[in-house]
Amino acid sequence: QVQLVESGGGLVQPGGSLRLSCAASGTIFRFYVMGWYRQAPGKQRELVAAITSVGVTSYADSVKGRFTISRDNAKSTVYLQMNSLKPEDTAVYYCRRGGTRTLAEYDYWGQGTQVTVSS
């Protein structure tokens, strides 16, 4: 079974930073596209950032210039560095393992980690 475990969420003031981690097991991690999604209360889950097996990244317009996705294949871990956080970034953040080319091929999800941005 593929298992994804997120960590690093918490409460932070606007303008602050957090680094989320997603540790993967039960998968050949280096082959697959990985992504971070977020879901605010009562809203649809949305893609925040993605990274391919060779390190090509993409970001939602709302987080460009503030968030950075990265991966360490030796540790089977994907990270999301979040800087200049805004209240609208408040959500549960989820890690997803996709296919070899896109995120859409598979639906392997972690349990999520809460990020709250508030003063």
Side-chain angles (χ1 to χ4, degrees):
Q1 277 284 321
V2 176
Q3 292 186 332
L4 305 171
V5 180
E6 301 96 335
S7 62
L11 175 64
V12 64
Q13 291 187 329
S17 298
L18 286 172
R19 189 192 193 200
L20 307 183
S21 298
C22 171
S25 62
T27 180
I28 307 175
F29 180 83
R30 70 184 186 277
F31 290 164
Y32 299 106
V33 179
M34 301 294 297
W36 284 99
Y37 291 70
R38 66 187 181 188
Q39 187 168 23
K43 298 182 179 179
Q44 293 287 333
R45 192 171 298 185
E46 65 174 348
L47 177 63
V48 174
I51 185 167
T52 72
S53 61
V54 295
V56 178
T57 60
S58 61
Y59 299 91
D61 288 342
S62 59
V63 307
K64 285 181 179 177
R66 299 188 297 120
F67 291 11
T68 302
I69 188 171
S70 61
R71 66 193 296 161
D72 186 338
N73 288 337
K75 296 181 178 180
S76 295
T77 301
V78 62
Y79 305 95
L80 185 67
Q81 178 67 46
M82 305 185 294
N83 299 325
S84 301
L85 283 161
K86 304 174 181 179
E88 50 263 48
D89 295 319
T90 296
V92 177
Y93 283 71
Y94 297 91
C95 179
R96 181 185 185 179
R97 199 219 82 179
T100 57
R101 293 185 292 180
T102 71
L103 282 166
E105 188 173 359
Y106 295 100
D107 281 317
Y108 296 120
W109 298 89
Q111 295 298 307
T113 185
Q114 176 71 47
V115 172
T116 303
V117 184
S118 177
S119 59

